Amino acid sequence: MATMHFFLPLLPDEHYYSRIARMAVLTPTKSITDFYSAWFGALKDYEAIRHDVVAHTNVDINANSKTSAREDVLYRHTSAGFYRHFLNIEQQRALLDVASKGKRKAFFMPWLTKVKHANCWRSCPQCIEDDISDYGTSYWHTAHQLPTATTCDIHALQPLMTGCSHCGFEQTDLRDIPLPDIVCPECDRDMSENLPLANAANAAIQHVGLALHLNRSSCQQPLANPQILRLVEQAFGDTLKGRQQAYWETKAQVEQAFWEWVAENRIDDYFVMKTDEELQTLLCLESIMNTPTKVTPLAHIIWLAFFHHIGQFDHARLSSAS
């Protein structure tokens, strides 16, 4: 007998995979694992998004409109809205091309496995209550999954939950916890307890990441390649001009101040690190300026937050750089 699937619309700021998780909960299969196997065995990622386009528009639309709808789903309901700013225009267009399966290697993001928040699902306890009240269900918000996010973008002072501080459970697999919940599925304790508070550096990093995610520029427009990969270099250049001293002297002073700022604000918490040398490699200023596409996007954002801290970077420059 064929299995009946509930094809659900995306909720505001809902991550695309959260929608699939909600479908899994409502679909009568033996297990959520069976649902995921059946779903992803029958539909490719872009094919699933194509079905979403039809569901959202409900009319016959031309090729440009289909691309716009795909762009809306990808950029508003996945982390692609954030990471696309670190791809050139050709790569962004290929990302939206359902026939570009062979170009996926071009979308590789360096050091992604070292970014802590790229390896778990995060949720806001206040959003869980609000979403159940407003929509009858909790769901995973896209903005909460950005690698820069530490607090809720709606409830500004509310730290995000990544797991349970009591038993060590982490929300890494939607098959374990398809819908966000405050209660730990392993030990039944309250996961909203003992959450670490964000500091000013966290807020600055989150501000940059959220600004990129919310940027609504379209890759269909004849734009130049994104300039965000050069913003750290530009901020350092402004620092050089302001201090009027030798390059290496300024570089040494800036790097010393940066690493003091990193230590003071526990920036290492953004990464999965075994040694200090690994962190120094990930956040090396010289690498960011000389080979900007070969470092993690989070390194660019952390340095921009630091330059903002010392008065050498204005957040307004983000809108003209993407």
Side-chain angles (χ1 to χ4, degrees), residues 2-185:
T3 300
M4 179 175 64
H5 295 285
F6 290 88
F7 211 81
L8 304 175
L10 285 161
L11 297 173
D13 189 47
E14 183 177 21
H15 196 282
Y16 182 77
Y17 287 122
S18 171
R19 170 183 163 276
I20 296 176
R22 288 193 295 118
M23 291 167 57
V25 171
L26 294 175
T27 300
T29 55
K30 294 180 180 178
S31 69
I32 288 179
T33 300
D34 290 342
F35 175 86
Y36 277 90
S37 298
W39 175 262
F40 288 115
L43 292 174
K44 303 300 183 184
D45 288 348
Y46 288 117
E47 181 68 7
I49 291 176
R50 186 182 70 79
H51 280 276
D52 266 338
V53 171
V54 175
H56 282 124
T57 57
N58 202 32
V59 293
D60 291 331
I61 52 179
N62 59 37
N64 287 337
S65 296
K66 287 181 180 179
T67 301
S68 295
R70 271 199 304 271
E71 193 174 48
D72 182 74
V73 171
L74 269 175
Y75 293 170
R76 290 179 183 269
H77 297 284
T78 77
S79 296
F82 167 83
Y83 285 111
R84 71 184 179 97
H85 296 283
F86 299 90
L87 302 174
N88 62 40
I89 296 301
E90 289 73 23
Q91 289 173 319
Q92 291 187 45
R93 287 172 176 164
L95 184 65
L96 296 171
D97 183 1
V98 295
S100 65
K101 181 175 60 174
K103 300 180 182 180
R104 286 178 183 169
K105 289 184 179 179
F107 313 139
F108 173 75
M109 288 294 167
W111 301 102
L112 197 59
T113 57
K114 294 294 184 181
V115 177
K116 183 182 295 184
H117 292 163
N119 298 289
C120 65
W121 290 86
R122 283 160 291 155
S123 57
C124 166
Q126 295 186 59
C127 281
I128 290 174
E129 294 181 5
D130 292 347
D131 293 340
I132 291 174
S133 175
D134 294 340
Y135 303 105
T137 181
S138 61
Y139 62 90
W140 303 97
H141 287 243
T142 305
H144 296 166
Q145 314 316 320
L146 300 180
T148 53
T150 52
T151 61
C152 179
D153 58 308
I154 300 172
H155 309 100
L157 299 178
Q158 174 61 58
L160 297 176
M161 300 184 298
T162 60
C164 180
S165 62
H166 302 288
C167 70
F169 169 78
E170 291 187 332
Q171 300 171 159
T172 58
D173 195 330
L174 296 189
R175 288 171 296 186
D176 295 329
I177 180 169
L179 304 178
D181 198 342
I182 296 175
V183 178
C184 175

